[in-house]
Amino acid sequence: MPTQKLLLLPGDGIGPEVMAEVKNLIDWINAQGIAKFETEQGLVGGSAYDAHKVAITDDTMKLAHASDAVLFGAVGGPKWDQVPYDARPEAGLLRLRKDLGLFANLRPAICYPALAASSSLKHEVVEGLDIMIVRELTGGVYFGEPKTITDLGNGQKRAVDTQVYDTYEIERIARVAFDLARKRRNKLTSMEKRNVMKTGVLWNEVVTQVHQRSYKDVQLEHMLADAGGMQLVRWPKQFDVIVTDNLFGDMLSDVAAMLTGSLGMLPSASLGDVDPRTNKSKSLYEPVHGSAPDIAGKGAANPIAMIASFAMALRYSLDLSKLADQVEAAIAAVLAKGLRTADIKSEGATVVTTQAMGKAIRDELTRIAS
Ligand code: IPM
Ligand code: MN
């Protein structure tokens, strides 16, 4: 059995609490002899700033490059509102994405049957929902240059962000999305704003070409991103896979998260190109939710998005798909039993702490795996 290296970056706010439940799960897997994981832990975000005055150190980046998968909690909080822009907590996450070349961000929004009532939308709109948002993650307005604020000298300032995409960036993310659609319900919706943005025009053109060239068997639909947001809350089950740029993907995936009952439920995987030598790609797994400083340290956070992100790591990076299925089944079973963290509580359910939820999932997994 090969030893697989995991780098844990809990980060700030509720990050350490939800990561602790993943660490417990890793220890459980090692103890069971199902796999052999070696873990290292590092600082990222505000906690890294407090210790080193940067959002992530070069040493931690080296560990990230050397690991089979990076597990990331959450970063940020009001404590670091005043730190220099380049050292703000989010810069740590953006550097990881950019330096590891993690251009494909997979954000599955699945509504567990037990949670259909927790969504702010009607039961029938979300019940059985299973969609996948594929967000481009290393381009667009997040990284485009120039990115500046200039003093115009007349009491005015000018802020510039640059939205930029090259053909190859759109091609490779489109291929990831088409491939995923093929393994699912064979439908892809591409979202952009070609009616106002040149990047939208090119996006539309390139996705159409990739479809024509290699994926004619997949049903492709184009939608303006604003209409896409509306359709996501009107009738989300019309979608299978959605592919979109970095900024639209950020927004649309928060919307999709809420369809599932809570932002505390949505996992994500960020993947790079497959290295032909190892047949593996660099990867980072993180919950879609943020650091929630208001509830940090209280045991109130929902660890499910973090645990489900680890399940994605088992599937996409660690060659343990069966275990991934079992972890997901354990999450569903615990929810079906009526256990809830505060964010997803409903009538008649039992509200439990972060730690109790983590333990309940491990106990359920023990039952399922034996
Ligand atoms: C996300 C987050 C990040 C983003 C922040 C923390 C930089 O909101 O992963 O969705 O905007 O990409
Ligand atoms: Mn976001």
Coordinates of all heavy atoms in Angstrom, one line a residue, residues 332-368:
A332 N -25.1 11.0 4.4 CA -26.5 11.0 4.1 C -27.3 10.2 5.2 O -28.4 10.7 5.6 CB -26.8 10.3 2.8
A333 N -26.7 9.2 5.7 CA -27.3 8.4 6.8 C -27.5 9.2 8.1 O -28.5 9.1 8.7 CB -26.5 7.1 7.0
V334 N -26.4 9.9 8.4 CA -26.5 10.7 9.6 C -27.6 11.8 9.5 O -28.3 12.0 10.5 CB -25.1 11.3 9.9 CG1 -25.1 12.4 11.0 CG2 -24.1 10.2 10.4
L335 N -27.6 12.4 8.4 CA -28.7 13.4 8.2 C -30.1 12.7 8.2 O -31.0 13.3 8.8 CB -28.5 14.1 6.8 CG -27.3 15.0 6.7 CD1 -27.0 15.4 5.3 CD2 -27.4 16.2 7.6
A336 N -30.2 11.6 7.6 CA -31.5 10.9 7.6 C -31.9 10.5 9.0 O -33.1 10.4 9.3 CB -31.4 9.6 6.8
K337 N -30.9 10.3 9.9 CA -31.3 10.0 11.3 C -31.7 11.2 12.1 O -32.1 11.1 13.2 CB -30.0 9.5 12.0 CG -29.7 8.0 11.8 CD -28.6 7.6 12.8 CE -28.2 6.2 12.5 NZ -26.9 5.9 13.0
G338 N -31.6 12.4 11.4 CA -32.1 13.6 12.1 C -31.0 14.4 12.8 O -31.4 15.4 13.5
L339 N -29.8 14.1 12.7 CA -28.7 14.9 13.3 C -28.5 16.1 12.5 O -28.3 16.0 11.2 CB -27.4 14.1 13.5 CG -27.4 12.9 14.4 CD1 -26.0 12.5 14.8 CD2 -28.2 13.2 15.7
R340 N -28.4 17.3 13.1 CA -28.1 18.5 12.4 C -27.2 19.5 13.2 O -27.3 19.6 14.4 CB -29.5 19.3 12.2 CG -30.6 18.6 11.5 CD -30.4 18.6 10.0 NE -31.6 18.1 9.3 CZ -31.8 16.8 9.1 NH1 -30.9 15.9 9.5 NH2 -32.8 16.4 8.5
T341 N -26.3 20.2 12.5 CA -25.7 21.3 13.1 C -26.6 22.5 13.0 O -27.6 22.4 12.2 CB -24.3 21.6 12.4 OG1 -24.6 21.5 10.9 CG2 -23.2 20.7 12.8
A342 N -26.3 23.6 13.7 CA -27.3 24.7 13.8 C -27.7 25.2 12.5 O -28.9 25.6 12.3 CB -26.7 25.7 14.7
D343 N -26.8 25.3 11.5 CA -27.1 25.9 10.2 C -28.2 25.2 9.4 O -28.8 25.8 8.5 CB -25.9 26.0 9.3 CG -25.2 24.7 9.1 OD1 -25.1 23.9 10.1 OD2 -24.8 24.4 8.0
I344 N -28.4 23.9 9.7 CA -29.4 23.1 8.9 C -30.5 22.6 9.8 O -31.2 21.6 9.5 CB -28.7 22.0 8.2 CG1 -27.7 21.2 9.1 CG2 -28.0 22.5 6.9 CD1 -27.1 19.9 8.4
K345 N -30.6 23.2 11.0 CA -31.6 22.6 12.0 C -33.0 22.8 11.4 O -33.3 23.7 10.7 CB -31.5 23.2 13.3 CG -31.9 24.6 13.5 CD -32.0 25.0 15.0 CE -32.5 26.4 15.1 NZ -31.3 27.3 15.4
S346 N -33.9 21.8 11.8 CA -35.3 21.9 11.3 C -36.1 21.2 12.4 O -35.6 20.6 13.4 CB -35.5 21.1 10.0 OG -35.0 19.8 10.2
E347 N -37.4 21.4 12.3 CA -38.3 20.9 13.4 C -38.1 19.4 13.6 O -37.9 18.6 12.7 CB -39.8 21.0 12.9 CG -40.3 22.4 13.0 CD -41.5 22.5 14.0 OE1 -42.2 21.5 14.2 OE2 -41.6 23.6 14.4
G348 N -38.0 19.0 14.8 CA -37.9 17.6 15.2 C -36.5 17.0 15.1 O -36.2 15.9 15.4
A349 N -35.5 17.8 14.5 CA -34.1 17.3 14.4 C -33.4 17.6 15.7 O -33.7 18.4 16.5 CB -33.5 18.0 13.2
T350 N -32.3 16.8 15.8 CA -31.4 17.0 17.0 C -30.2 17.9 16.6 O -29.5 17.5 15.7 CB -30.9 15.6 17.5 OG1 -32.0 14.7 17.4 CG2 -30.3 15.7 18.8
V351 N -30.1 19.0 17.3 CA -28.9 19.9 17.0 C -27.7 19.4 17.7 O -27.7 19.2 18.9 CB -29.2 21.3 17.3 CG1 -28.0 22.2 17.1 CG2 -30.4 21.9 16.5
V352 N -26.6 19.1 17.0 CA -25.4 18.6 17.6 C -24.2 19.6 17.3 O -24.3 20.4 16.4 CB -25.0 17.2 17.1 CG1 -26.1 16.2 17.4 CG2 -24.8 17.2 15.5
T353 N -23.1 19.4 18.0 CA -21.9 20.2 17.7 C -21.1 19.7 16.5 O -21.4 18.6 16.0 CB -21.0 20.1 18.9 OG1 -20.6 18.7 19.1 CG2 -21.6 20.6 20.2
T354 N -20.2 20.5 16.1 CA -19.3 20.1 15.0 C -18.6 18.7 15.3 O -18.6 17.9 14.5 CB -18.1 21.1 15.0 OG1 -18.7 22.5 15.0 CG2 -17.3 21.0 13.7
Q355 N -18.2 18.6 16.6 CA -17.5 17.4 17.0 C -18.4 16.2 17.0 O -18.0 15.1 16.5 CB -16.8 17.6 18.4 CG -15.7 18.6 18.5 CD -16.3 20.1 18.4 OE1 -17.4 20.4 18.7 NE2 -15.4 21.0 17.9
A356 N -19.6 16.4 17.5 CA -20.6 15.3 17.5 C -21.0 14.9 16.1 O -21.2 13.7 15.8 CB -21.8 15.7 18.3
M357 N -21.1 15.8 15.2 CA -21.4 15.5 13.8 C -20.3 14.7 13.2 O -20.5 13.7 12.5 CB -21.7 16.8 13.0 CG -22.1 16.6 11.6 SD -23.6 15.6 11.3 CE -24.8 16.8 11.3
G358 N -19.1 15.1 13.4 CA -17.9 14.4 12.9 C -17.9 13.0 13.4 O -17.7 12.0 12.7
K359 N -18.1 12.8 14.7 CA -18.1 11.5 15.3 C -19.2 10.6 14.8 O -19.0 9.4 14.5 CB -18.2 11.6 16.8 CG -18.5 10.4 17.6 CD -17.3 10.0 18.5 CE -17.4 8.7 19.3 NZ -18.4 7.7 18.9
A360 N -20.4 11.2 14.6 CA -21.6 10.4 14.1 C -21.3 9.9 12.7 O -21.6 8.8 12.4 CB -22.8 11.3 14.1
I361 N -20.6 10.7 11.9 CA -20.3 10.3 10.5 C -19.2 9.2 10.6 O -19.4 8.2 9.8 CB -19.8 11.5 9.7 CG1 -20.9 12.5 9.5 CG2 -19.2 11.1 8.3 CD1 -20.5 13.8 8.9
R362 N -18.3 9.3 11.5 CA -17.3 8.2 11.6 C -17.9 6.9 12.1 O -17.6 5.8 11.5 CB -16.1 8.6 12.5 CG -15.2 9.6 11.9 CD -13.9 9.7 12.8 NE -14.1 10.1 14.2 CZ -14.4 11.3 14.6 NH1 -14.6 12.3 13.8 NH2 -14.5 11.5 15.9
D363 N -18.8 7.0 13.0 CA -19.5 5.8 13.5 C -20.3 5.1 12.4 O -20.3 3.9 12.3 CB -20.4 6.2 14.7 CG -19.6 6.5 16.0 OD1 -18.4 6.3 16.0 OD2 -20.2 7.1 16.9
E364 N -21.0 6.0 11.7 CA -21.8 5.5 10.6 C -20.9 4.8 9.5 O -21.2 3.7 9.0 CB -22.6 6.6 9.9 CG -23.7 6.3 9.1 CD -24.8 5.4 9.7 OE1 -25.2 5.7 10.9 OE2 -25.1 4.4 9.1
L365 N -19.8 5.4 9.3 CA -18.8 4.9 8.3 C -18.3 3.5 8.8 O -18.1 2.6 8.0 CB -17.7 5.8 8.1 CG -16.6 5.5 7.1 CD1 -17.2 5.4 5.7 CD2 -15.5 6.6 7.1
T366 N -18.0 3.4 10.1 CA -17.6 2.1 10.7 C -18.6 1.0 10.3 O -18.3 -0.1 9.9 CB -17.4 2.2 12.2 OG1 -16.6 3.4 12.5 CG2 -16.8 1.0 12.8
R367 N -19.9 1.4 10.5 CA -21.0 0.4 10.2 C -21.0 0.1 8.7 O -21.0 -1.1 8.4 CB -22.3 1.0 10.6 CG -23.2 0.0 11.4 CD -24.5 0.6 11.7 NE -24.6 2.0 12.0 CZ -24.3 2.6 13.2 NH1 -24.0 1.8 14.2 NH2 -24.4 3.9 13.4
I368 N -20.9 1.1 7.9 CA -21.0 0.9 6.4 C -19.8 0.1 5.9 O -20.0 -0.8 5.1 CB -21.1 2.2 5.7 CG1 -22.4 2.9 6.0 CG2 -21.0 2.0 4.2 CD1 -22.5 4.3 5.5

